[in-house]
Amino acid sequence: MKRPKLKKASKRMTCHKRYKIQKKVREHHRKLRKEAKKRGHKKPRKDPGVPNSAPFKEALLREAELRKQRLEELKQQQKLDRQKEQEKKRKLETNSGIEPSSVEPVKEEFGQCKAKTKAKLGKPNPKKLYCQELKKVIEASDVVLEVLDARDPLGCRCPQVEEVIVRGGQKRLVLVLNKADLVPKENLENWLNYLKKELPTVVFRASTYLKDKRKIIKVRRKAPFKSEVCIGKDGLWKLLGGFQETYGKAIQVGVIGFPNVGKSSIINSLKQERICNVGVSMGLTRNIQVVPLDKKITIIDSPSVIVSPLNSPTALALRTPASIEVLKPVEAASAILSQADTRQVILKFTVPNFENSLEFFTSLAQRRGMHQKGGSPNVEGAAKLLWSEWTGGSLGYYCHPPTSWTLSAHFNENTVTDMKQGFNLEELEKNNAHSIKAIRGPCLASSILFQSSVLTNGIIEEKDIPEELLKQKEEEEDYEDIDNDQESFDKEADEKNSDVSPAQEAWEALPEESQADEQSAQSYTLERMTEEEDDTYDFSTDYV
């Protein structure tokens, strides 16, 4: 008779083998404990809980319990939602025989319901809000600072805003030439001489690295970096202080201008703290922000001036925050490139000679290693790169002022004299001369010549906003969400920078006397640098 086959093999083994295995396991565990001891790995400590001596212990425990309950409820809700979604998917799979045409009306009804809910919410258009906020700032201000980009000062002036300020009566308008370190000195002096004939003009260079008021200062005696030096702050302080003394009471100073000219950076530089949000992306300031500089001077930050769609394509590409998203990137960048000097663009971006903008973007993409799938150059990416560099605060380019000076259409001789009343113009000229001497700008050969456009038209009244801009509301809201993400990323980066650079903290922690000594030494080094700059050989002249 055949013996039946056993289902499973027996696990019985000799005692010698079993003891040997146990010994090996013990040795292995001992080895792991030794390694953990060397690494310094410790077991996580148990939460001791709230001690009995702590005040409001019962309230804290109650809050913790409520929080725990909320989390559990949220998890349960998410679980139910997932189950419902899975049931819907199963139903769709089972009813796969239904034609897709029957599904389309359901989607349309859902879209209509969504649109109705949006209409019920009644969210106002952001462009209308910007107009309202801008008018509030102009009405509340005694002095209005119009911030201009020194690379294109005429293109940053808005005749509609200046006309509203002139009609306001006793208000004063001051021009601030920001980003003065990105243009050659000769060009900066020419623009200053041209603009000061009409309005008081201040040369300024905002500080880029500022302390966060929430950070703890660590004392380390080191001099600040060159990029942290703010130039023109003393001149602007003295100008506003002198006007306040003649005015006889506390004044409010409004800061206005087109996107990305550096309005918030100027306020941060005057306050020496990062109070207003700043970043590379355009249009970060969306609401009024009141910042007291001292007991008698209060400064008001405002949203950007809205650019009229009737302007030239170049002005729209440079001054509109969402231009790169609403317009096609290649068109926006081509409009900028058409106004720049071709030879200097070739030298700056180190690309071969090109006949049109598409050829330039192709060679720039190849130069920077920007490729799409299959190895073809990313033309749109190169166009976005040019646009971001041109509107950012790193690329040096300049415009020539008009050959003959003519008074603006919205000004007359009486308004020009009224605007200059109450300001010490002689002291302002001295401060501007000192600022120009301290700035180490690029030479003419290394910066790009750009054809200056006329004054850029803006929109002040809500009724003047065209329907096209109102239709672009959803697109701009998406762009704002991207800006918020960028803003949060910039904040994180600034926090890291504040941790890395102890020199800034040291400079703030030093007493006033030592700061004054270091500032005088710093001004001396800047003067030495400017004197030696003329003697240095410019290597880029070989290519001219």
Side-chain angles (χ1 to χ4, degrees), residues 58-75:
E58 290 178 5
L60 287 168
L61 289 170
R62 208 178 301 117
E63 280 177 16
E65 199 174 335
L66 286 167
R67 206 179 300 118
K68 198 175 181 181
Q69 283 177 3
R70 279 194 220 104
L71 282 168
E72 283 175 3
E73 286 171 8
L74 187 69
K75 281 179 183 176

Side-chain angles (χ1 to χ4, degrees), residues 424-442:
N424 190 350
L425 298 177
E426 291 179 3
E427 192 178 10
L428 178 63
E429 280 185 18
K430 288 177 184 176
N431 289 323
N432 283 337
H434 180 71
S435 298
I436 291 167
K437 197 176 180 183
I439 289 168
R440 190 178 183 184

Side-chain angles (χ1 to χ4, degrees), residues 297-311:
I297 301 170
T298 306
I299 200 158
I300 309 168
D301 195 8
S302 69
S304 305
V305 179
I306 299 166
V307 182
S308 173
L310 303 173
N311 287 298

Side-chain angles (χ1 to χ4, degrees), residues 145-151 156 176-180 204-208 210 230 236 255-270 276-285 299 301-302 304 319 391-393:
L145 303 179
E146 188 176 11
V147 184
L148 313 177
D149 193 332
R151 297 174 290 183
C156 293
V176 181
L177 274 175
N178 195 23
K179 303 181 184 179
F204 204 89
R205 182 207 175 276
S207 178
T208 51
L210 290 164
C230 176
L236 189 57
V255 183
I256 61 165
F258 283 111
N260 218 21
V261 290
K263 303 182 290 296
S264 301
S265 298
I266 287 170
I267 295 169
N268 289 342
S269 299
L270 289 171
C276 301
N277 288 330
V278 290
V280 179
S281 52
M282 286 186 172
L284 284 176
T285 307
I299 200 158
D301 195 8
S302 69
S304 305
R319 311 280 169 237
T391 53

Side-chain angles (χ1 to χ4, degrees), residues 13-221:
M13 62 176 75
T14 59
C15 292
H16 173 72
K17 194 174 182 181
R18 188 167 65 249
Y19 295 149
K20 194 176 180 181
I21 290 165
Q22 287 174 3
K23 189 180 177 184
K24 288 279 183 188
V25 169
R26 282 198 302 274
E27 284 175 1
H28 176 68
H29 286 319
R30 197 183 297 119
K31 191 179 178 182
L32 288 177
R33 282 198 299 273
K34 276 187 179 180
E35 286 176 2
K37 200 174 181 181
K38 282 178 184 176
R39 285 198 304 269
H41 179 72
K42 293 178 183 178
K43 289 181 182 178
R45 286 184 181 179
K46 192 179 176 182
D47 185 16
V50 183
N52 292 327
S53 59
F56 314 110
K57 181 185 174 178
E58 290 178 5
L60 287 168
L61 289 170
R62 208 178 301 117
E63 280 177 16
E65 199 174 335
L66 286 167
R67 206 179 300 118
K68 198 175 181 181
Q69 283 177 3
R70 279 194 220 104
L71 282 168
E72 283 175 3
E73 286 171 8
L74 187 69
K75 281 179 183 176
Q76 286 289 338
Q77 190 64 36
Q78 286 173 352
K79 194 177 180 180
L80 288 168
D81 290 341
R82 281 197 298 272
Q83 285 174 357
K84 283 177 185 178
E85 282 177 9
Q86 284 172 2
E87 282 173 13
K88 282 179 185 177
K89 282 178 184 177
R90 281 195 212 101
K91 282 178 184 178
L92 286 168
E93 283 172 6
T94 51
N95 302 330
S96 57
I98 297 168
E99 291 179 1
S101 59
S102 62
V103 181
E104 284 176 7
V106 178
K107 284 184 180 178
E108 287 177 3
E109 285 176 10
F110 178 73
Q112 285 173 3
C113 292
K114 204 173 182 182
K116 282 178 186 176
T117 51
K118 274 189 178 180
K120 281 178 186 176
L121 287 169
K123 193 177 180 182
N125 191 281
K127 292 191 179 296
K128 287 185 178 180
L129 287 173
Y130 290 173
C131 290
Q132 291 170 7
E133 298 282 280
L134 187 66
K135 283 193 283 186
K136 283 178 189 175
V137 170
I138 293 168
E139 285 171 12
S141 303
D142 301 306
V143 179
V144 180
L145 303 179
E146 188 176 11
V147 184
L148 313 177
D149 193 332
R151 297 174 290 183
D152 184 13
L154 207 63
C156 293
R157 288 185 68 178
C158 181
Q160 286 79 14
V161 172
E162 291 180 5
E163 197 174 345
V164 169
I165 294 163
V166 169
R167 284 204 306 262
Q170 299 299 319
K171 299 183 189 300
R172 301 286 185 272
L173 180 63
V174 178
L175 302 177
V176 181
L177 274 175
N178 195 23
K179 303 181 184 179
D181 59 323
L182 297 176
V183 294
K185 281 188 180 182
E186 301 87 350
N187 184 257
L188 185 63
E189 287 172 357
N190 293 338
W191 271 113
L192 184 63
N193 293 330
Y194 179 84
L195 294 168
K196 73 180 182 183
K197 291 176 183 176
E198 202 166 59
L199 292 165
T201 309
V202 182
V203 175
F204 204 89
R205 182 207 175 276
S207 178
T208 51
Y209 295 101
L210 290 164
K211 68 164 183 176
D212 192 348
K213 57 185 177 182
R214 293 164 293 183
K215 289 283 175 186
I216 299 164
I217 296 167
K218 294 175 184 177
V219 179
R220 289 180 188 177
R221 292 182 173 272

